Each structure stands twice: as C-alpha cells, then as structure tokens.
Amino acid sequence: MSEKNNIEKSLAYQMNRRHFLSKTSLGLGAAALSSLLGPSTAWANAPDKGIMGKPHFAPKAKRIIYLFMSGGPSQLDMFDYKPKLQEMNGKDLPESVRQGQRLTGMTANQQSLPLAGAQFAFERYGKSGMWVSELVPHTAKVVDELCFIKSMHTEAINHDPAVTFFQTGSQQPGRPSMGAWLSYGLGSDNENLPGFIVMLSRNRDGGQPLYSRLWGSGFLPSLHQGVQFRSGKDPVLYLNNPPGISGTDRRRVLDYLQKIYQEQYSRIQDPEINSKIAQYEMAYRMQTSVPEVMDVSGEPEYIYDMYGPDVRKPGTFAANCLLARRLVERDVKFIQLYHMGWDQHGNLPNDIQGQCKATDQASAALIMDLKQRGLLEDTLVVWGGEFGRTNYSQGKLTKTNYGRDHHPRCFTVWMAGAGVKKGFSYGETDEFGYNVVSNPVHVHDFQATLLHLLGVDHERLTFKHQGRRFRLTDVHGHVVNDILT
C-alpha cells in the first residue's frame, strides 16, 4: 500500500468531523466549547494510533520527558571532570589540541585562548563512582540512575541552528520536530490530551529566544505539532469560550460549519482538512482535561519538598517538572521542557550557579518521583543542551571569573529510565575536554536512539514531501546500542 494511502487510511475515521473549521477565524476555542455540549455522533473519541498503527518492534519506553537546557550548559563545570585544566589554568590552548578548528566570531580574534579550569569542586558519587560537580548536589544523589553520554558532538556552532538541529534533524527551519514525528508515527495514548506538549521556563531575564517552529509539525499534518502549556489562568491559548457566547449559540454555529466544510472536503480532498478538525476535536476535550492536570493543589506536602520551593511558582522549571510527571501519569507520549539562560559567555561562575539552583533539585526529584511510582520503568528522561562550552575563557580570565564560548566538538547529555543503562558513562573526551577521543555520538545517532527506545526504526518512519522521502535523521544516524539495556 502506498504511503499516500496509508495517510488517508490513518485519517479516514476523522474524515467527516475534522475539516469543517480549517478556514474559519474561530480558532482553537471555537471548537473547544462543544465538549461542554457533548460531541455529536460523527465526532468519535477514538485515540489516534498514528500512521504506523503499532511500533516497528517492542518498545522499551512508552514516553519521553526531554529537559532541554537552552543555551548550552558547560559540561566542564558540571559533569566532565578535567584536572588537566586546573593544572594549566591560564595557559594558552595548545594548537595541537585545537588543530585549526573553527571558532565563533566572539573568540576567533582573541589574541590568546587561556585555559579555564572549573572553579567548582568535583567528587565521586554513588556506587558507580561518577564524577559530579558541587553545582548539582541533587543530581549527584541520583547518578546511579543516570546514563551519561560525554561524547556528544554537532556541526552547529550557533544557537538557533544548533537547537533546530537537535529538535528537527536539520539546521534549517521547516522540518518536523522530534515530537511531531513521534505523534505522526505512534499517535496518542490519551484521547483527552495532546500527545506532544511543550513548556518553557527561565529563572532570569534574557536567554536565547525559542520559536514555536522548534515544536512545529513542518510538512507533516498540523495536528502533530506540539501544544504549548503556559502558566496563568489560560494554560492553552484560546481554549476557553469567548465572552458572551452561549453553549447553544456555539453549537448551532459548529453544526452549520460542519456541513459547509464537509462539502468542501468532498470537492478538494485536502488531508489538512482532517488534521484541522482533529485539532479542534482535541481542543474541546481539553477544556476539562487541562484544568484537571494543571491543578496541583492535591499533591502531598512531601512532593512539594522533593521538588523544592520553586515548585509552588507556576511557570518555573520545578513547577513544569511536576506537571511533566502528572502528564506522564496520563500517558502523554512526548513532553518537552525548555529552560532558557545557559549561554554564559561571561560571568559564568555566578550565572551557572543560578541556573543549577533553578534546575538541579527538580531534575533529580523528577527521576525519584517517577521511580517511586513505577513510571521510570517505561519513561525515558533526557537532559541536555544544543552544544557544550569551550575549555578556554572568552574574554579576560581572572581568579574568580571567566566565560566560555560555544563548543560543538564535545559535550555531555544524560538520560534516565526505560531502556538505558544505569550508573553508566559512555564516550570520552581528551584531557583538555576539547575533542572526543572515544565513542563519538552525533546528534543524528542520539535521535535514532531515542526513536529506537520507543520502538521506531528511524530509517522506516518517513514522509514524502516535494518528491523526496524525509525522516528525522535525514540520511544519517546509528542507534547507540552500547548504552541500551
């Protein structure tokens, strides 16, 4: 059966109910109201199982929580311990180490590149004996649950293309995001919540901007794009009914529009019609499911203590981590948390402490909370940014201060939970923390591995667009089997 036929088959059950709002100005909230009135018989509530119907092979994980640290956290100050940098602090980066590799415009013209040893103490933790910095004492307590990859590398050297590369498999905008690919392939396991949800946080002003295309659907049907949850009284924009519109009025409008757009579909056969109606159908069910999941007032006191004081502040990273756990309990497949502000070109010793204070306790709490509920067995948690930081100081190096430029040659991510080895470190960088010397893991390898854990063969999940078959990993990527259980 052709891919076009597969797509049409996947969306067929939604045919008569999904397009009637595709070109109206009523937006998401227009259809949201109808859930309060009860769906019509044509609007069935069957969950979308995706184009694949079922995974390519038995998955080890049912869902992913991706904690994306936007800006590029310094691996050298947190996880990749390099005593050599302390020994050679202030000395120039040897050319034999750099080997003429390109630098950003921010440091390419520096007269010297003084090596900057971390100003934070490292110790071994857990039965695994992992080296971890004093910056992340809570993460240090759960290292025996973590799988570190210390040999990540990427081609992208600036923020926007680097983040776009991680999220979509391309440095150029326009491709579907990882969550959109998973929604397209595997569908949703919850009929009342989106299969792909996004939350953003920052603990101070500034940070690199993040654009909605990072969780967009690209050329995939638009129903697969991520839905952003916000703090405040309207977690999802335009979900609530407009003032002055009664349930009866809205029902009459929706019924009439349904007839109009069903007729339009019969004439033009545009699959995006079905995608739009699927979004509106989800929206009206979300009118009741979203307030329920966002209401954390019933959480016990020990949970608040576990996640830390920021958990009581909506919109913080800690609050979003707690919401991520609640979404996992409701079988949301892909939950993306972005935390901004890791771009520390200067004043790193002070600023990185603030970033770690905002994220360390909640990240570790999420691992422990999932584990105590038996959810870590089939949930994968991922932590990491778009690239690493240089081993030399950007700008002047002093006894108490330094900055670090972007460094795509090597950096660290960690994972925990379903399908990955515990208390395990994979890959190695040189003694200067500048180059990968064993087991390199490229961005496409990382993406292929995440899909594999969900039962997806990254080479087989494709979409034909403009005459070519596309996939998340483009024409690259190998599953990193050595980190898998």
Side-chain angles (χ1 to χ4, degrees):
M1 183 178 290
S2 69
E3 182 171 16
K4 181 178 179 181
N5 288 337
N6 279 334
I7 295 171
E8 291 177 349
K9 181 179 178 181
S10 173
L11 297 173
Y13 76 90
Q14 303 164 25
M15 178 86 66
N16 293 325
R17 65 183 189 274
R18 290 194 168 171
H19 183 232
F20 73 95
L21 293 177
S22 65
K23 301 201 180 201
T24 74
S25 61
L26 294 177
L28 196 60
L33 169 71
S34 60
S35 64
L36 305 181
L37 308 172
S40 66
T41 56
W43 288 38
N45 285 347
D48 178 16
K49 293 304 179 185
I51 193 66
M52 291 166 51
K54 62 180 181 179
H56 292 135
F57 42 82
K60 295 186 177 181
K62 291 183 178 179
R63 60 195 78 84
I64 292 177
I65 302 175
Y66 196 151
L67 310 177
F68 195 89
M69 303 292 111
S70 174
S74 172
Q75 75 283 6
L76 296 170
D77 294 278
M78 301 173 70
F79 301 119
D80 201 7
Y81 180 44
K82 297 299 174 185
K84 188 72 171 180
L85 292 184
Q86 268 81 11
E87 294 176 20
M88 297 188 63
N89 191 69
K91 296 182 179 180
D92 206 41
L93 172 66
E95 182 55 39
S96 60
V97 175
R98 180 188 165 192
Q99 299 175 354
Q101 295 163 6
R102 68 170 177 160
L103 308 178
T104 74
M106 292 171 283
T107 55
N109 296 320
Q110 281 190 198
Q111 293 184 351
S112 65
L113 301 173
L115 295 171
Q119 293 186 1
F120 305 97
F122 278 75
E123 292 185 22
R124 291 186 181 273
Y125 290 89
K127 294 180 180 178
S128 56
M130 296 287 185
W131 286 103
V132 178
S133 162
E134 62 181 321
L135 282 170
V136 284
H138 296 279
T139 302
K141 295 177 182 178
V142 298
V143 289
D144 287 337
E145 297 292 337
L146 306 185
C147 177
F148 288 92
I149 300 178
K150 296 185 178 180
S151 54
M152 285 296 308
H153 64 99
T154 179
E155 291 90 53
I157 200 169
N158 290 311
H159 293 288
D160 188 71
V163 177
T164 304
F165 195 23
F166 252 101
Q167 301 304 294
T168 72
S170 171
Q171 296 186 47
Q172 299 299 319
R175 301 280 184 90
S177 58
M178 186 186 305
W181 277 111
L182 289 171
S183 175
Y184 168 69
L186 297 175
S188 174
D189 295 327
N190 186 319
E191 66 184 27
N192 297 318
L193 286 168
F196 178 19
I197 291 175
V198 177
M199 292 179 278
L200 279 61
S201 62
R202 68 178 78 198
N203 66 306
R204 60 180 178 85
D205 293 334
Q208 294 298 320
L210 297 173
Y211 305 102
S212 59
R213 59 177 168 76
L214 295 173
W215 50 92
S217 57
F219 44 69
L220 295 178
S222 58
L223 69 97
H224 301 298
Q225 67 188 348
V227 176
Q228 185 179 348
F229 279 24
R230 296 167 166 83
S231 59
K233 64 178 182 179
D234 293 317
V236 180
L237 298 181
Y238 313 117
L239 192 64
N240 294 327
N241 302 327
I245 301 297
S246 71
T248 302
D249 293 338
R250 180 57 58 80
R251 182 70 267 163
R252 229 176 7 247
V253 170
L254 295 180
D255 287 345
Y256 184 70
L257 288 174
Q258 183 179 20
K259 294 178 183 179
I260 293 174
Y261 286 103
Q262 284 177 342
E263 172 61 26
Q264 186 181 24
Y265 183 87
S266 69
R267 288 186 287 106
I268 65 175
Q269 298 291 302
D270 181 2
E272 188 62 16
I273 292 172
N274 297 329
S275 296
K276 290 296 183 183
I277 292 186
Q279 290 173 301
Y280 297 128
E281 178 183 336
M282 175 61 70
Y284 73 67
R285 295 198 294 272
M286 285 166 61
Q287 278 202 315
T288 54
S289 62
V290 169
E292 185 272 332
V293 76
M294 299 292 288
D295 182 8
V296 299
S297 60
E299 293 287 342
E301 196 67 26
Y302 81 90
I303 289 294
Y304 292 118
D305 293 339
M306 181 185 297
Y307 282 87
D310 283 350
V311 75
R312 298 181 185 273
K313 304 173 185 176
T316 62
F317 179 78
N320 289 348
C321 281
L322 177 56
L323 289 174
R325 188 267 287 164
R326 292 174 63 84
L327 291 168
V328 159
E329 290 179 305
R330 291 155 179 80
D331 286 323
V332 174
K333 191 170 297 295
F334 195 84
I335 304 159
Q336 179 95 58
L337 271 59
Y338 291 94
H339 186 74
M340 295 175 275
W342 290 93
D343 190 25
Q344 289 141 7
H345 291 272
N347 200 34
L348 183 145
N350 177 73
D351 290 350
I352 198 171
Q353 290 184 69
Q355 289 295 103
C356 290
K357 184 178 180 181
T359 58
D360 172 45
Q361 182 172 353
S363 298
L366 179 60
I367 302 298
M368 295 186 292
D369 199 4
L370 292 171
K371 184 176 181 179
Q372 72 182 2
R373 296 167 191 272
L375 293 168
L376 197 58
E377 297 174 2
D378 55 11
T379 302
L380 180 69
V381 181
V382 181
W383 184 102
E386 66 268 34
F387 43 53
R389 312 304 296 198
T390 56
N391 61 0
Y392 60 81
S393 177
Q394 177 176 339
K396 186 177 181 180
L397 172 68
T398 72
K399 291 183 178 180
T400 59
N401 202 7
Y402 55 92
R404 298 193 191 275
D405 200 359
H406 309 165
H407 190 64
R409 300 292 302 178
C410 57
F411 55 105
T412 299
V413 303
W414 60 251
M415 296 182 284
V420 296
K421 294 178 179 178
K422 299 180 179 182
F424 186 70
S425 182
Y426 184 78
E428 186 180 358
T429 59
D430 61 32
E431 60 183 350
F432 291 91
Y434 197 90
N435 295 299
V436 174
V437 295
S438 70
N439 297 321
V441 178
H442 186 264
V443 173
H444 287 313
D445 301 330
F446 186 69
Q447 293 163 336
T449 304
L450 296 189
L451 265 59
H452 177 86
L453 286 165
L454 286 168
V456 177
D457 182 340
H458 71 105
E459 295 184 349
R460 294 167 61 192
L461 180 57
T462 64
F463 187 90
K464 191 171 184 179
H465 173 65
Q466 295 182 342
R468 175 193 161 186
R469 293 189 184 278
F470 287 85
R471 67 185 203 223
L472 174 64
T473 52
D474 197 36
V475 295
H476 310 283
H478 301 280
V479 175
V480 187
N481 289 300
D482 289 343
I483 70 171
L484 305 181
T485 55

